[in-house]
Amino acid sequence: MFPLEKSIEEQLREFTGPLPTIIFPEADDPRVIAAASRLVQFAKVVLVRRKEDLAEDLDEMDIPLKVSKTRFNQTVRCIHPDEAPELCEEFALALQEKSQGRSWKVDIEKARELLRDPVYFAIMSVRLGYADAVLGGVTHSSRDFFRPCLRLLERSGTVYEMGLFALPDSHDGGFFNQNLVMFADVALNEEPSAQRLADIAVGACKTMRDVVPEDALPAVNAALLSYSTRGSGAGPSVERIRGAEPIVKRRLQELAEDDPRYANINIATELQVSCAISKQLARTKLGQQADDNPAVGNSNVLIAPSLDTGNLLFHMYATSYPESQSVLIIGGLKNQALDFSRSSTVDDIAMGAKALILRMYKSGRYTRTPRDRFFPRFKILTVSPHREHTEIALWEGRDLNAREHLIHDIADLPHRLLDQIPLRLRAVRGFLERHGIAEDELEAVVSRGGLVLPVESGAYRVDDRMLKDLTNEVSGRHVINLGTFLINEIGKKCPNVFIIDPAVVDELDEISRITGLEGTEQ
């Protein structure tokens, strides 16, 4: 089976810029809490609930966290509407304004009442730029969660839902490359028009390309399904599909011109499902025409002509292959929302969130949360000296703003380690100057610890004794020792100067030191 989740995670780790902020309004559900713990390395996670209530659940319930409880509490932000009256008032005014002239128009008092609901609070957080995406539907119906999303969040054309499956190896049809198949639309559009069919077809293929890398799936092939194959039948749905064909061709050309990554998308229209997924059957029906479009007989993105068909296909595969990896993905909402099923598992929630974050990055539009308020943005400088370079990075909270490898000419470096400090210090200060950061703006300066006396892992504030031990090389001579001296100089106007997990960390239990050789300890 294609390792879909692993592939998504590997791609996410390639992105080193600011982390997006995702917000969960249903944070009292243990599945959401467990899924959130799997996302802290890929996003800044906000749970709409009181922190003390979360702590109580973590103490009393057996919630399978992916990270330690300490790290979870340190990285996840809890906020309840009652704890944010200024935000709620801002959100209520914006909600009232958005509702004007709509069938669901609300006055300010009703808006204030709605903003006490975690769902509305989370959605308005996204609408006003305090978060990037809202994820829900685990405990709410689509009427109560997704309908407000559709009303309040910005759209980009047709809104639709895709179901992507990585089928198990036991799937013996052999029809889909890498046993990957996507269905669309599976939830929202009953009988999409030609324009909407084109939106769904091109958008689904773009999503498949964004989520599955080219080395795994060299081409994305799709088919608009029908009971007619290239003129063999007639009827209203066939006419809609035929009307979509020229729109699809134009949109594909525009997409490839905009970004060459999408040049390997092929879409065939008006095909019976057998001709869409079997080249042999397609040739039987179409003859040589079956080879005119690479998608004919090779499609692994299947576009349904109606919601009945799309929903049937999705649930048939979900039921037949419960061991598959699958993910639901929303198109047309600019990656701002994801609506889960109430039967979703922890895996479903975590996988859906990771795919959403990946699509944010692949869209090329994500830079950072527009109004990042939920997380502190302390400026932190990290320094790591190496033999021929000094690696330095500037962070704002958990967001990496800049990173450089400051290369040093080895011939210019004095042999005595401590004599290298002025040269490396100038390089570090040059980095800060290039990025417009004054030393007194830094909240913390951090380096990997040098060869001090053995200690347990953790963060240690730099002090005179540490500097003396490193000067005397009590545990050895190594270039990593320079990091402590560099941050000590840079951090003279900074309140927090730390080394982290020095190279001499020693946490062995006493019994682990016994080697089995008489008189010899580890």
Side-chain angles (χ1 to χ4, degrees):
M1 182 165 65
F2 180 76
L4 183 59
E5 185 169 21
K6 180 182 178 182
S7 173
I8 291 173
E9 289 186 354
E10 288 175 348
Q11 293 177 79
L12 285 174
R13 292 190 183 99
E14 294 176 2
F15 294 94
T16 57
L19 298 175
T21 301
I22 60 175
I23 186 166
F24 289 94
E26 300 162 328
D28 54 351
D29 190 294
R31 292 170 295 173
V32 170
I33 299 170
S37 74
R38 301 185 183 189
L39 300 170
V40 293
Q41 63 180 309
F42 304 116
K44 292 178 284 189
V45 180
V46 180
L47 302 180
V48 186
R49 69 176 307 186
R50 299 181 193 276
K51 192 172 184 66
E52 57 268 27
D53 293 339
L54 174 64
E56 185 175 328
D57 281 355
L58 292 175
D59 288 339
E60 296 181 359
M61 302 172 67
D62 185 21
I63 299 176
L65 297 181
K66 186 73 171 180
V67 296
S68 70
K69 192 185 298 185
T70 299
R71 185 184 177 197
F72 185 74
N73 287 324
Q74 289 174 344
T75 52
V76 169
R77 173 80 158 94
C78 287
I79 185 168
H80 189 276
D82 293 344
E83 301 169 330
E86 293 182 3
L87 271 182
C88 283
E89 185 64 15
E90 179 186 354
F91 293 173
L93 290 169
L95 174 58
Q96 180 199 22
E97 180 181 357
K98 173 65 176 176
S99 74
Q100 297 307 300
R102 309 300 177 96
S103 61
W104 48 276
K105 178 180 177 180
V106 296
D107 60 25
I108 188 61
E109 290 305 319
K110 179 61 175 178
R112 286 169 179 154
E113 178 185 340
L114 288 173
L115 261 300
R116 288 196 289 270
D117 181 341
V119 167
Y120 277 85
F121 182 88
I123 294 172
M124 291 305 294
S125 295
V126 175
R127 176 174 175 81
L128 295 186
Y130 291 96
D132 298 297
V134 55
L135 297 88
V138 178
T139 62
H140 288 78
S141 67
S142 292
R143 174 188 178 89
D144 294 330
F145 171 72
F146 199 57
R147 181 181 290 180
C149 289
L150 292 175
R151 287 174 172 175
L152 296 170
L153 298 179
E154 186 179 358
R155 303 189 191 189
S156 56
T158 304
V159 180
Y160 55 97
E161 191 164 13
M162 300 157 274
L164 171 59
F165 290 84
L167 299 172
D169 295 335
S170 59
H171 174 68
D172 55 5
F175 298 122
F176 306 120
N177 191 354
Q178 294 281 12
N179 262 0
L180 291 168
V181 61
M182 174 184 281
F183 305 107
D185 174 20
V186 300
L188 296 174
N189 297 277
E190 291 186 15
E191 291 186 348
S193 65
Q195 178 65 57
R196 291 194 172 195
L197 278 171
D199 286 349
I200 294 166
V202 176
C205 289
K206 182 177 182 296
T207 297
M208 181 70 111
R209 177 75 295 150
D210 287 344
V211 173
V212 182
E214 290 185 54
D215 58 357
L217 199 64
V220 174
N221 295 318
L224 270 71
L225 300 181
S226 175
Y227 56 79
S228 171
T229 292
R230 305 306 296 168
S232 67
S237 68
V238 178
E239 292 304 315
R240 288 188 286 111
I241 292 167
R242 290 173 183 167
E245 185 170 357
I247 306 174
V248 166
K249 288 182 178 178
R250 185 181 70 252
R251 292 278 305 280
L252 278 183
Q253 182 177 351
E254 293 170 351
L255 191 63
E257 290 173 354
D258 184 58
D259 190 333
R261 286 191 304 121
Y262 303 119
N264 55 20
I265 294 175
N266 307 293
I267 300 178
T269 61
E270 194 188 340
L271 292 179
Q272 291 172 303
V273 68
S274 58
C275 296
I277 64 176
S278 169
K279 181 63 81 172
Q280 179 182 352
L281 293 175
R283 285 175 176 149
T284 299
K285 189 118 183 178
L286 293 172
Q288 292 183 348
Q289 293 181 35
D291 297 316
D292 292 345
N293 187 324
V296 176
N298 293 311
S299 295
N300 51 7
V301 178
L302 302 180
I303 310 303
S306 69
L307 183 56
D308 282 337
T309 305
N311 195 261
L312 181 147
L313 285 169
F314 174 81
H315 285 287
M316 183 172 67
Y317 272 76
T319 304
S320 300
Y321 302 101
E323 68 274 35
S324 65
Q325 288 188 3
S326 64
V327 58
L328 284 170
I329 305 171
I330 300 291
L333 273 181
K334 295 189 173 182
N335 303 318
Q336 294 177 104
L338 191 54
D339 182 27
F340 295 105
S341 164
R342 277 173 283 181
S343 61
S344 295
T345 65
V346 174
D347 289 340
D348 294 334
I349 300 168
M351 177 96 95
K354 292 171 190 175
L356 177 66
I357 296 165
L358 180 60
R359 290 179 71 220
M360 283 185 197
Y361 288 134
K362 291 291 186 74
S363 72
R365 292 191 298 267
Y366 181 76
T367 53
R368 69 170 30 172
T369 308
R371 303 172 72 183
D372 193 353
R373 166 177 170 153
F374 293 135
F375 293 84
R377 300 195 62 82
F378 300 127
K379 289 184 174 65
I380 302 170
L381 185 76
T382 60
V383 179
S384 179
H386 299 264
R387 183 171 178 268
E388 298 181 3
H389 73 276
T390 302
E391 182 176 335
I392 188 159
L394 180 65
W395 302 76
E396 283 193 50
R398 295 179 62 200
D399 290 343
L400 175 62
N401 274 4
R403 173 184 286 162
E404 290 184 20
H405 292 271
L406 307 177
I407 305 298
H408 312 296
D409 188 336
I410 194 69
D412 294 338
L413 291 176
H415 178 70
R416 184 172 180 269
L417 275 179
L418 297 185
D419 291 340
Q420 297 181 15
I421 293 173
L423 184 148
R424 292 181 185 256
L425 192 58
R426 285 195 299 272
V428 173
R429 285 183 165 139
F431 169 89
L432 291 173
E433 185 176 344
R434 285 193 296 279
H435 293 281
I437 302 296
E439 292 174 27
D440 58 3
E441 291 182 64
L442 298 170
E443 182 68 22
V445 186
V446 180
S447 176
R448 175 76 188 276
L451 304 182
V452 294
L453 292 173
V455 292
E456 294 182 354
S457 64
Y460 294 88
R461 193 177 295 274
V462 174
D463 58 18
D464 291 339
R465 179 183 172 184
M466 186 185 299
L467 294 169
K468 181 180 178 181
D469 285 350
L470 290 171
T471 301
N472 294 329
E473 299 177 347
V474 293
S475 292
R477 181 179 187 272
H478 194 278
V479 69
I480 197 67
N481 291 357
L482 294 179
T484 309
F485 293 100
L486 292 172
I487 62 173
N488 183 62
E489 289 297 321
I490 293 291
K492 288 191 181 298
K493 298 178 182 179
C494 175
N496 300 294
V497 183
F498 297 104
I499 62 169
I500 306 290
D501 291 347
V504 290
V505 163
D506 181 358
E507 294 182 336
L508 282 176
D509 295 330
E510 289 305 311
I511 195 170
S512 300
R513 300 180 189 281
I514 300 173
T515 65
L517 300 175
E518 184 178 356
T520 303
E521 291 187 357
Q522 175 65 34

